Amino acid sequence: MYLSKYFLPILKENPSEAQIASHRLMLRSGMIKQSSAGIYSWLPLGLKVLKKIENIIIEEQIAAGHIPILMPTIQPAELWKESKRLDDYGKEMLRFEDRHGRLMLYGPTNEELVTDIFRSYITSYKDLPKTLFHIQWKFRDEVRPRFGVMRGREFFMKDGYSFDVDKRSAIHAYNRHMISYLRTYERLGLKAIPMKADTGPIGGDYSHEFLVLANTGESQVFYDKEISNLSLGEQKIDYENYSNLESIVHKFTTPYARTDETHDIDLFEKIPEARRVEGRGIEVGQIFYFGTKYSESMGAKIDLANGKRIPIEMGSHGIGVSRLVGALIEANHDEQGIIWPASVSPFDAVIINLKQNDHLCNEISIKIYNMLKANGFDVLYDDRLDSVGAKFSSMDLIGIPKQIIVGPRGVSEGLLEIKFRNNGQRINIPLSNNLIELINELKK
RNA sequence: CGGGCUAUAGCGCAGUCUGGUAGCGCGUUCGUCUGGGGGACGAGAGGUCGUGAGUUCAAAUCUCGCUAGCCCGACCA
């Protein structure tokens, strides 16, 4: 993409409404534009990141055996009457009437809708287990939206719903979600810690929130340092294997890790002092096994082999996709701007032409651009006529991990320069005919 | 939902107290120069001062209403 042909409305000054880094940087780098309180348009750069995160989530959910669907944003209120949540939800739920006077709502979540789908078709234990998920816009009419996309009213969320014949199978679904989420966060370049969450009236041990450590986070967190050293790494996961998943989940849920909601000071103080960590975190996901809460009230039942009819065991599992964009920036930025992890960066690399009037620099920049595109890289070419400083600053701001710098000085010596956004290091690369050295460096 | 604050050019702000020609920086347009960290000079364009009423010879400025947005708290993925 030639920058001169793109739509990248960068702001030089800080918008007055943005208080925290991610919000400020998303506005400045032209990723989003506020439409009204807590509601945003996603501009090209922001949309690219949002879609990259979404794709990683989809890949990992499919790898875990879960099935994508898409449910509507607008739901009929009748379903919520059935589950008895219509009144419980209060003013957070945006309600309105259609032209026939039927009460509708903009969905804040989809348990009712998905349970309705399931009960319409599934009647036998032979059809279970199944997990359906979708990634869709949701709306919660927060009294006080803030922090940009981290606490908007409209938000993009992955929510998955598991349907199982019994508790053992439902817990396996829970474990699949735990592990597929851990893998997702790792691929996003984030350290997210599963923390024991409040299960409310249902009780039990089967709810975890995933928190990204950041001092702007809204939750107070307490954990054993050991848990932050755990990672799935490259290990292959067999999502069908009950005991294998169980042992991984056991490993990740044994060390103490809780938010202030479930914090137990006595347990916390049993951890050796050197390993106790207190901090703040941003919640980027939650998994929850809740048994027959909705299947019971909404009549989603199956026949067993022995002819008995029982309500389906369910769980719901969510990842805040749009919120993750903010969380990623909170975790990856410096004074100059955003520093994208390669997996979610809106572009793989940017070519900065330092002398836009120079024939040689132009020729070489264009050649690199075409060559990289042909090799499958998504490259931004900063071909603006702006001064060098303006180019460097704005490219640092938008945070592309690798900057390929083409300037008269290097070109005259037959060299290109790559600057790495994360550590500021620069290396020289010979300017060869096939650019193989450059391509290899970008593949790293 | 309680408490506080703001609204003036695309963005950031001054002007409001003490009513009288609407201003600054950045950006933007044109031209010349410049070209390894938001460059220089020159010339332009751009505002019914959030909105409605009132006071006044005269309102960005004073009064009242409304709307929108932000901050603290309660709440929340």
Side-chain angles (χ1 to χ4, degrees):
Chain A
M1 177 59 66
Y2 279 43
L3 185 47
S4 61
K5 295 177 182 166
Y6 202 44
F7 183 62
L8 185 68
I10 286 174
L11 305 177
K12 192 168 171 180
E13 283 170 281
N14 282 325
S16 58
E17 75 260 28
Q19 301 300 311
I20 61 167
S22 60
H23 189 194
R24 197 171 65 233
L25 291 171
M26 286 181 79
L27 290 168
R28 282 198 56 203
S29 61
M31 295 176 68
I32 52 170
K33 170 168 166 45
Q34 179 165 323
S35 162
S36 51
I39 302 178
Y40 295 86
S41 292
W42 291 76
L43 306 183
L45 199 71
L47 182 63
K48 282 194 113 181
V49 176
L50 191 69
K51 288 290 165 187
K52 289 219 168 181
I53 296 172
E54 183 185 14
N55 282 336
I56 289 174
I57 293 171
I58 292 172
E59 283 173 17
E60 290 305 323
Q61 287 309 298
I62 288 174
H66 305 157
I67 306 159
I69 60 172
L70 184 59
M71 292 180 272
T73 54
I74 308 289
Q75 306 181 17
E78 285 97 69
L79 286 176
W80 288 67
K81 277 182 196 151
E82 278 192 58
S83 70
K84 316 252 191 302
R85 286 211 293 180
L86 189 60
D87 298 325
D88 295 353
Y89 232 91
K91 287 191 165 178
E92 304 258 293
M93 190 155 73
L94 180 63
R95 303 148 202 251
F96 45 88
E97 281 185 1
D98 68 11
R99 67 194 301 166
H100 306 293
R102 189 184 190 201
L103 186 59
M104 309 296 282
L105 56 95
Y106 197 122
T109 178
N110 286 64
E111 279 84 3
E112 283 78 2
L113 217 52
V114 78
T115 305
D116 181 53
I117 291 170
F118 225 76
R119 70 181 174 185
S120 303
Y121 305 109
I122 303 299
T123 53
S124 163
Y125 75 98
K126 291 177 190 163
D127 295 320
L128 298 183
K130 280 194 172 41
T131 292
L132 303 179
F133 74 95
H134 80 334
I135 301 182
Q136 175 64 292
W137 291 94
K138 312 276 192 298
F139 194 89
R140 289 187 197 173
D141 200 358
E142 299 280 349
V143 204
R144 193 185 156 208
R146 64 186 109 170
F147 304 149
V149 298
M150 296 235 288
R151 190 164 165 205
R153 290 194 291 173
E154 189 178 46
F155 56 99
F156 201 43
M157 181 175 168
K158 174 264 164 183
D159 41 331
Y161 303 90
S162 56
F163 300 88
D164 291 271
V165 67
D166 56 24
K167 183 167 177 182
R168 181 169 172 269
S169 174
I171 299 307
H172 180 60
Y174 185 86
N175 292 342
R176 281 200 312 273
H177 282 93
M178 165 90 66
I179 291 166
S180 62
Y181 279 25
L182 288 170
R183 174 140 282 173
T184 301
Y185 296 127
E186 284 184 17
R187 281 187 61 188
L188 295 175
L190 276 179
K191 171 63 78 181
I193 299 178
M195 301 199 175
K196 186 179 162 66
D198 199 357
T199 48
I202 292 156
D205 292 329
Y206 297 103
S207 183
H208 282 85
E209 296 179 325
F210 295 81
L211 283 106
V212 171
L213 302 175
N215 36 23
T216 46
E218 69 241 318
S219 311
Q220 184 79 20
V221 299
F222 306 84
Y223 62 94
D224 183 337
K225 203 173 164 186
E226 292 239 303
I227 197 168
S228 58
N229 298 327
L230 295 174
S231 84
L232 292 173
E234 299 295 311
Q235 69 176 295
K236 182 117 179 65
I237 308 283
D238 175 6
Y239 281 102
E240 303 279 329
N241 186 325
Y242 275 52
S243 61
N244 184 231
L245 295 200
E246 244 171 60
S247 70
I248 297 171
V249 167
H250 182 74
K251 204 171 76 181
F252 275 88
T253 53
T254 302
Y256 187 91
R258 298 191 181 192
T259 66
D260 46 2
E261 283 175 7
T262 52
H263 183 48
D264 181 330
I265 190 131
D266 295 331
L267 282 177
F268 188 56
E269 284 178 352
K270 283 185 185 144
I271 307 166
E273 194 164 355
R275 284 182 9 212
R276 281 181 227 156
V277 185
E278 267 187 69
R280 300 201 69 84
I282 302 165
E283 192 191 328
V284 292
Q286 179 163 15
I287 54 178
F288 199 164
Y289 159 69
F290 48 68
T292 58
K293 179 175 175 185
Y294 298 96
S295 52
E296 193 96 56
S297 60
M298 295 183 67
K301 296 182 179 174
I302 44 156
D303 291 326
L304 295 179
N306 62 14
K308 270 182 69 178
R309 177 164 297 182
I310 59 160
I312 305 173
E313 292 280 332
M314 289 176 60
S316 68
H317 317 275
I319 296 183
V321 185
S322 48
R323 166 176 277 204
L324 268 170
V325 180
L328 275 158
I329 295 173
E330 288 299 325
N332 301 288
H333 71 274
D334 62 15
E335 287 296 303
Q336 273 62 50
I338 304 168
I339 306 168
W340 291 115
S343 60
V344 294
S345 175
F347 291 96
D348 298 319
V350 55
I351 300 164
I352 301 179
N353 185 346
L354 293 185
K355 195 166 181 181
Q356 200 61 43
N357 282 338
D358 184 89
H359 286 301
L360 197 52
C361 287
N362 287 0
E363 201 178 290
I364 289 167
S365 298
I366 292 167
K367 178 185 166 182
I368 294 170
Y369 178 79
N370 289 332
M371 195 78 104
L372 291 180
K373 262 189 81 170
N375 277 274
F377 292 101
D378 189 9
V379 187
L380 182 66
Y381 171 28
D382 189 348
D383 62 333
R384 294 173 301 172
L385 214 49
D386 283 352
S387 72
V388 176
K391 289 193 178 193
F392 279 131
S393 300
S394 48
M395 291 307 108
D396 282 350
L397 173 67
I398 70 171
I400 311 302
K402 287 164 186 169
Q403 301 174 354
I404 301 160
I405 299 166
V406 181
R409 202 172 72 195
V411 163
S412 67
E413 298 166 26
L415 293 172
L416 293 172
E417 193 173 308
I418 300 183
K419 184 187 141 190
F420 299 91
R421 179 63 182 88
N422 59 352
N423 57 18
Q425 274 182 15
R426 294 157 187 267
I427 57 170
N428 287 318
I429 299 268
L431 183 52
S432 63
N433 259 338
N434 56 10
L435 293 172
I436 190 70
E437 298 87 351
L438 175 64
I439 288 165
N440 285 337
E441 189 57 44
L442 291 188
K443 279 181 181 161
K444 282 183 190 165

